[in-house]
Amino acid sequence: MTATAVLTARALLLDMDGTLVNSDASVERVWRRWSERHGLDPDEVMKVVHGRQGYASMALLLPGRPMEQNHADNARMLAEETADTEGVVPIPGAPEFLAALRGLPHALVTSADVPLSTARMAAAGLELPEVRVTAESVGASKPDPEGFLKGAAELGVAPEDCVVFEDSGAGIAAGRAAGMTVVGVGSRAAFHEPDVVVGDLTRVRVEAVADGTIRLHIG
């Protein structure tokens, strides 16, 4: 669908990487090094890793490897990514978008853990939402809907009354599986058929409605 719509929600659930924060440079550096260590084609690896927790990407890329090894490797990768914030910047419109959400029900739902999400949001100069669902909060990675469903529950809002903002195929699939409307952000999102696509967050205007709902003017 083209980026022209008015959506109504009672809560917004926001992915971080690629949605609020452009961390592509850091992600590429860390995952390309990992690819080379394991003899994998870095370009093919980069097609898989966006939106998922690292251990879940590794399970797809190295089938048959023990999951405990993936989790150990993922812990090292998270530390590398947390230390590498060079080039991490806000997605255009993200500061204004988050400012417009102050006092309205919203949550961060990210595959990053607490240290990584804190580091990247700080590097981009963005305020962390009060409600956050991070890697430590869930037992399953996107595209499983667990994170989005948990975010809705923590906000006390039914899934069908939530709008998800996502950039990756895994994240968009998770939002759909949760029964939520999905706004895709950026060029990656357009390939995965979200309900609406925007180039960036400058294309979204937030309106607080008197009945407690949130009206999103997109386009």
Side-chain angles (χ1 to χ4, degrees):
M1 185 182 294
T2 56
T4 304
V6 176
L7 303 177
T8 300
R10 292 200 170 274
L12 306 187
L13 302 177
L14 315 174
D15 175 51
M16 181 182 71
D17 293 300
T19 301
L20 297 174
V21 170
N22 182 345
S23 57
D24 282 0
S26 174
V27 172
E28 289 257 351
R29 284 191 293 270
V30 171
W31 276 99
R32 283 181 181 277
R33 288 197 298 269
W34 182 88
S35 305
E36 290 162 7
R37 288 198 295 270
H38 294 279
L40 299 174
D41 181 343
D43 291 333
E44 293 304 312
V45 168
M46 294 313 302
K47 294 176 182 177
V48 171
V49 301
H50 292 291
R52 292 181 172 86
Q53 291 192 45
Y55 76 85
S57 296
M58 293 170 192
L60 291 173
L61 293 162
L62 297 173
R65 187 166 85 152
M67 190 57 76
E68 58 267 25
Q69 194 172 342
N70 292 336
H71 280 286
D73 212 0
N74 184 47
R76 291 188 289 270
M77 293 281 285
L78 285 168
E80 283 187 55
E81 289 184 285
T82 301
D84 182 358
T85 57
E86 182 181 352
V88 173
V89 296
I91 293 292
E96 296 81 3
F97 178 65
L98 286 173
L101 292 180
R102 287 190 194 120
L104 300 176
H106 68 289
L108 187 72
V109 181
T110 175
S111 293
D113 63 3
V114 169
L116 180 56
S117 58
T118 301
R120 283 189 175 159
M121 291 289 280
L126 297 177
E127 182 179 343
L128 275 165
E130 183 177 337
V131 177
R132 300 184 287 277
V133 179
T134 60
E136 298 93 336
S137 310
V138 297
S141 170
K142 299 172 185 176
D144 191 282
E146 180 186 357
F148 287 125
L149 292 171
K150 184 162 189 176
E154 291 197 14
L155 293 169
V157 176
E160 61 269 24
D161 291 327
C162 295
V163 170
V164 165
F165 281 75
E166 264 286 0
D167 74 300
S168 70
I172 290 166
R176 283 190 173 282
M180 300 172 180
T181 300
V182 182
V183 176
V185 180
S187 57
R188 271 195 298 266
F191 294 102
H192 302 288
E193 299 184 348
D195 296 289
V196 182
V197 182
V198 293
D200 58 45
L201 294 172
T202 65
R203 310 300 299 172
V204 182
R205 182 170 63 85
V206 177
E207 178 188 0
V209 184
D211 64 0
T213 59
I214 303 166
R215 189 172 294 147
L216 300 169
H217 301 266
I218 298 176

